[in-house]
């Protein structure tokens, strides 16, 4: 096992990695920008190195600074967390050249899956169904229009290099096709430096279901069941749960087998997530593969009893996977992402937290880097914590989540807690029958109306 690793991240995930390392007896090196001097990941790591000014382009995304920090501290490997450099194949390669380990999949897997259109082709080769559409990026408008007509409108245009819910455009009919294609390509160029766009059929009421997979260096791949991630806003997840209320045992088995087949086909190592869209008729389609630990990994940990970050470290250190086949979920887990944001405008709400009181009690887990008097810097994403609950069944998990949200007190900044509470109480959420369009129809009740008992 490693003796010392560097964590190329910040916030709750950096702390989460420190926790796993501490339990495995691995020393940790934190890197931080000058905006994060007072962050808990800096406090709890065994060593820390300042890598630059607040903008992430000059600190957390600065490959040479991160590698220098690993070299001067003698870290044997780097854990990238999620976001920042986690899916940067060049970073993984640069580390290899410097003989520093990488706690993640091989660079070739990152590169292959990072290009969504190549990932689609690979899934097809592996015999995994993909959403009908083009397998190559669009080069000729006429041909693309013909393809769109063939798969049927509405269609969705996606940036091949896209991610984080960005770079997608829905086209309702042929009259909008050209203008939307132009916008999509321009947006992709601006956001990802790559204007390549492909098209897929737009499924009208799908669910987002993803499978957690693990692969070791000896070719063994297992899946740890699914996560239901259909509660999204602007294509970004808000609430995740495990298991999905939509899967029968048979469907779970078929989707899990497809996820494992794809991972095996590409010789995948370490933790990864295979994302599917599940249509109303029960057909499922590969959407993309994320080659890193996910924000929502705790729901899988809670129902399987496994520590995914420890498993990532063990796999990267060359240990064989000791996880059995066909792991089944025990009980039900729900996660709410707690963002520091204004509930109505949905804009980030950085600043000083004046009161911070997280919930506790049976079946409650809080992954956060926040604390009382912590100042949330304006430079990074607005996730300040994750509230995860475990119940004997979905009903108990929902009641527990409501209670935990009620007991979660954060003052000084706006948060998504009130919004999450209303979603958990929504009859359609309760019923378990919803799609990725849930939030489009959801209307938050303003705080004043709640106070008056509306
Ligand atoms: P990103 O990599 O940016 O997260 P994804 O390809 O994972 O993008 O898609 C994010 C979300 O967008 C999905 O969870 C789903 O809600 C929606 N989406 C993507 N593709 C389609 C599609 N073909 N039909 C309907 N919704 C889609």
């Amino acid at each position: 096992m490693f003796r010392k690793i560097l964590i190329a991240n910040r916030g709750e995930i950096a702390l989460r990695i420190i926790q796993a390392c501490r339990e495995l007896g691995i020393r940790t090196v934190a890197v931080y920008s000058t905006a994060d001097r007072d962050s808990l990941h800096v406090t709890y790591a065994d060593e820390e190195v300042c890598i630059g000014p607040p903008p992430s382009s000059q600190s957390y995304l600065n490959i040479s600074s991160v590698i220098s920090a690993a070299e001067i501290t003698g870290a044997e490997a780097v854990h990238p967390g999620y976001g920042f450099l986690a899916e940067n194949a060049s970073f993984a390669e640069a580390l290899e050249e410097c003989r520093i380990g990488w706690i993640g999949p091989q660079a070739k897997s990152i590169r292959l899956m990072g290009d969504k259109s190549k990932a689609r082709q690979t899934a097809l080769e592996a015999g995994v169904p993909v959403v009908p559409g083009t397998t190559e990026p669009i080069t000729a408008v006429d041909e693309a229009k013909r393809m769109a007509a063939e798969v049927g409108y509405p269609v969705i245009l996606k940036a091949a290099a896209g991610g984080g819910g960005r770079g997608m455009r829905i086209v309702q009919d042929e009259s909008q096709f050209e203008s939307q294609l132009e916008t999509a390509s321009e947006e992709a160029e601006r956001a990802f430096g790559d204007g390549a766009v492909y098209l897929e059929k737009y499924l009208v009421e799908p669910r987002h279901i993803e499978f957690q997979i693990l692969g070791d260096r000896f070719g063994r791949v297992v899946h740890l069941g699914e996560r239901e991630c259909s509660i999204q806003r602007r294509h970004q997840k808000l609430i995740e749960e495990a298991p999905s209320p939509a899967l029968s045992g048979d469907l779970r088995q078929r989707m899990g087998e497809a996820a494992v087949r794809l991972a095996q086909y590409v010789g995948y190592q370490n933790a990864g997530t295979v994302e599917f869209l599940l249509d109303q008729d029960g057909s499922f389609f590969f959407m993309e593969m994320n080659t890193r630990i996910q924000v929502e990994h705790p729901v899988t940990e809670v129902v399987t009893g496994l520590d995914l970050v420890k498993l990532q470290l063990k796999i990267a250190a060359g240990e064989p996977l000791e996880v059995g086949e066909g792991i089944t979920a025990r009980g039900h887990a729900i996660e709410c992402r707690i963002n520091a944001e204004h509930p109505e405008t949905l804009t980030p709400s950085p600043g000083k937290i004046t009161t911070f009181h997280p919930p506790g009690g049976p079946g409650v887990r809080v992954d956060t880097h926040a604390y009382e008097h912590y100042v949330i810097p304006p430079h990074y994403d607005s996730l300040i914590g994750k509230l995860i609950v475990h119940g004997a069944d979905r009903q108990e998990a929902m009641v527990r989540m409501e209670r935990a949200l009620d007991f979660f007190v954060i003052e000084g900044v706006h948060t998504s807690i009130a919004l999450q509470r209303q979603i958990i109480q929504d009859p359609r959420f309760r019923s378990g029958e919803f799609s990725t369009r849930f939030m489009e129809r959801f209307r938050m009740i303003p705080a004043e109306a709640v106070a008056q008992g509306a």
Side-chain angles (χ1 to χ4, degrees):
M1 183 40 80
F2 304 115
R3 272 159 303 159
K4 190 197 275 188
I5 69 151
L6 180 141
I7 299 157
N9 216 302
R10 62 180 300 282
E12 69 85 21
I13 193 65
L15 266 186
R16 172 71 191 86
I17 299 162
I18 292 174
Q19 290 160 352
C21 288
R22 192 65 74 88
E23 291 180 22
L24 288 173
I26 302 170
R27 287 177 64 80
T28 50
V29 180
V31 291
Y32 64 99
S33 77
T34 51
D36 278 336
R37 272 187 210 290
D38 298 324
S39 280
L40 285 186
H41 78 282
V42 180
T43 314
Y44 285 128
D46 297 300
E47 293 170 52
E48 66 282 332
V49 181
C50 181
I51 49 163
S56 33
S57 59
Q58 294 170 52
S59 49
Y60 297 104
L61 290 173
N62 187 335
I63 292 182
S64 51
S65 300
V66 176
I67 293 182
S68 303
E71 283 190 323
I72 57 169
T73 54
E76 292 154 282
V78 170
H79 195 308
Y82 53 71
F84 296 126
L85 296 170
E87 288 173 290
N88 187 317
S90 311
F91 179 48
E93 279 161 358
L95 286 170
E96 198 179 343
E97 275 164 33
C98 298
R99 299 189 196 290
I100 299 170
W102 168 248
I103 300 154
Q106 294 148 295
K108 68 170 181 26
S109 305
I110 302 175
R111 192 158 275 135
L112 179 64
M113 291 302 166
D115 182 325
K116 291 188 177 191
S117 117
K118 281 206 193 105
R120 275 166 67 79
Q121 292 170 34
T122 311
L124 281 175
E125 285 163 29
V128 174
V130 302
V131 187
T134 56
T135 42
E136 300 278 345
I138 296 169
T139 45
V141 181
D142 288 347
E143 202 185 307
K145 269 190 176 168
R146 212 175 313 121
M147 196 68 196
E150 206 178 299
V151 303
Y153 284 93
V155 297
I156 183 166
L157 297 167
K158 287 192 183 182
R166 294 176 307 151
M168 289 183 280
R169 289 257 146 191
I170 299 159
V171 192
Q172 294 298 346
D173 57 63
E174 195 173 299
S175 68
Q176 306 170 349
F177 192 87
E178 274 186 67
S179 63
Q180 291 285 56
L181 178 62
E182 216 167 282
T183 323
S185 180
E186 276 168 20
E187 275 178 8
E189 181 67 51
R190 222 175 313 124
F192 311 105
D194 175 0
V197 168
Y198 67 97
L199 81 83
E200 272 178 19
K201 182 164 184 61
Y202 181 69
L203 304 180
V204 180
E205 293 274 349
R207 299 179 79 118
H208 174 122
I209 310 273
E210 57 183 37
F211 276 73
Q212 176 68 53
I213 66 113
L214 287 173
D216 68 13
R217 289 207 184 160
F218 310 95
R220 184 146 180 268
V221 178
V222 296
H223 79 78
L224 303 181
E226 81 282 6
R227 292 184 286 260
E228 161 75 60
C229 308
S230 300
I231 306 295
Q232 311 176 340
R233 195 185 50 204
R234 301 188 197 127
H235 303 303
Q236 286 167 358
K237 298 160 191 165
L238 271 178
I239 297 181
E240 301 95 348
E241 51 184 313
S244 165
L247 296 201
S248 63
D250 169 59
L251 189 53
R252 175 170 300 115
Q253 192 180 342
R254 285 189 288 125
M255 292 178 79
E257 276 168 9
V260 168
R261 191 155 67 238
L262 175 61
Q264 251 158 1
Y265 183 77
V266 299
Y268 195 86
Q269 294 176 11
N270 218 290
T273 297
V274 181
E275 296 189 338
F276 295 103
L277 286 176
L278 174 65
D279 211 354
Q280 284 159 305
D281 65 2
S283 44
F284 63 88
F285 306 98
F286 167 77
M287 188 163 42
E288 66 164 341
M289 181 167 189
N290 291 315
T291 52
R292 52 167 160 81
I293 192 85
Q294 303 265 103
V295 175
E296 59 273 23
H297 76 275
V299 292
T300 300
E301 293 190 320
V302 160
V303 295
T304 60
L306 295 170
D307 183 320
L308 287 174
V309 180
K310 277 189 191 169
L311 288 167
Q312 284 193 292
L313 288 157
K314 289 181 178 177
I315 290 168
E319 291 182 22
L321 252 182
E322 278 167 5
V323 177
E325 304 287 332
I327 284 261
T328 49
R330 196 177 54 83
H332 197 95
I334 305 178
E335 171 181 282
C336 284
R337 297 189 185 198
I338 311 299
N339 296 322
E341 67 188 15
H342 198 278
E344 270 113 51
T345 59
L346 305 178
T347 45
S349 175
K352 185 171 182 167
I353 296 177
T354 53
T355 307
F356 188 79
H357 199 276
V364 175
R365 165 174 167 181
V366 181
D367 281 18
T368 182
H369 58 294
Y371 55 88
E372 201 151 287
H373 306 312
Y374 173 63
V375 180
I376 303 164
H379 315 282
Y380 313 108
D381 69 11
S382 55
L383 183 77
I384 50 166
K386 305 183 306 204
L387 172 58
I388 305 106
V389 299
H390 190 202
D393 52 26
R394 189 167 188 266
Q395 178 60 27
E396 188 180 54
M398 290 189 295
V399 173
R400 188 158 276 164
M401 181 57 90
E402 260 185 89
R403 183 271 286 176
L405 286 165
D406 278 349
F407 287 15
F408 206 156
V409 184
I410 302 177
E411 284 169 356
V413 295
H414 295 288
T415 75
S416 55
I417 291 176
L419 168 71
Q420 304 279 24
R421 196 175 189 288
Q422 290 185 22
I423 298 171
I424 299 291
Q425 289 176 329
D426 185 280
R428 274 178 309 126
F429 180 81
R430 291 271 177 192
S431 73
E433 282 166 33
F434 49 79
S435 75
T436 54
R437 304 187 66 184
F438 176 89
M439 289 305 290
E440 275 174 43
R441 299 171 187 131
F442 181 83
R443 288 287 160 270
M444 193 177 171
I445 306 164
E448 312 83 66
V450 174
Q452 286 159 17

